[in-house]
Amino acid sequence: QVQLVESGGGLVQAGGSLRLSCAASGSTFSINAMGWYRQAPGKQREWITSISSGGSTHYADSVKGRFTISRDNAKNTVYLQMNSLKPEDTAVYYCNYWGSTLGHEYNYWGQGTQVTVSS
């Protein structure tokens, strides 16, 4: 089992910045990726970014150039630096941990942290 604890959400004005953190603990996997999803009211949860254990990053077009994902493997922690925030970025942000071992894949989720961007 992998436990994920998120922090860093809050209220910010449009154009502002926030930094989210997600710390993983428990039985982590050597082959893994961590990422962030978000879910706005009335909408489906959407993937926005991920980073592999080797450091490869991927971004959804909606956040590319504004958000930056990074990780500290020694701390099993992933960060999401969000700049130039827009009201449409308002959502609950969820940390995701994907792991693979012996041909099996596992997905774990954080509890979510609210990000609200005021106009």
Side-chain angles (χ1 to χ4, degrees), residues 7-119:
S7 60
L11 172 64
V12 64
Q13 288 189 331
S17 299
L18 280 176
R19 189 191 194 211
L20 306 183
S21 300
C22 173
S25 62
S27 301
T28 56
F29 302 85
S30 58
I31 300 174
N32 68 76
M34 298 183 75
W36 294 91
Y37 289 65
R38 67 185 181 188
Q39 187 167 19
K43 294 187 176 182
Q44 290 189 331
R45 188 175 299 188
E46 63 170 348
W47 167 84
I48 56 172
T49 182
S50 58
I51 183 168
S52 71
S53 52
S56 297
T57 58
H58 302 274
Y59 297 92
D61 288 343
S62 58
V63 305
K64 196 174 295 182
R66 300 187 298 123
F67 290 10
T68 302
I69 190 170
S70 60
R71 66 186 291 169
D72 183 333
N73 288 332
K75 296 181 179 180
N76 282 325
T77 299
V78 65
Y79 306 96
L80 181 63
Q81 178 67 43
M82 304 185 292
N83 298 329
S84 302
L85 283 161
K86 306 174 182 179
E88 51 264 44
D89 294 317
T90 295
V92 178
Y93 284 68
Y94 295 91
C95 177
N96 172 261
Y97 181 101
W98 172 89
S100 177
T101 183
L102 300 177
H104 296 281
E105 298 184 0
Y106 302 85
N107 264 295
Y108 300 94
W109 295 93
Q111 78 283 3
T113 185
Q114 178 70 47
V115 171
T116 303
V117 184
S118 63
S119 56

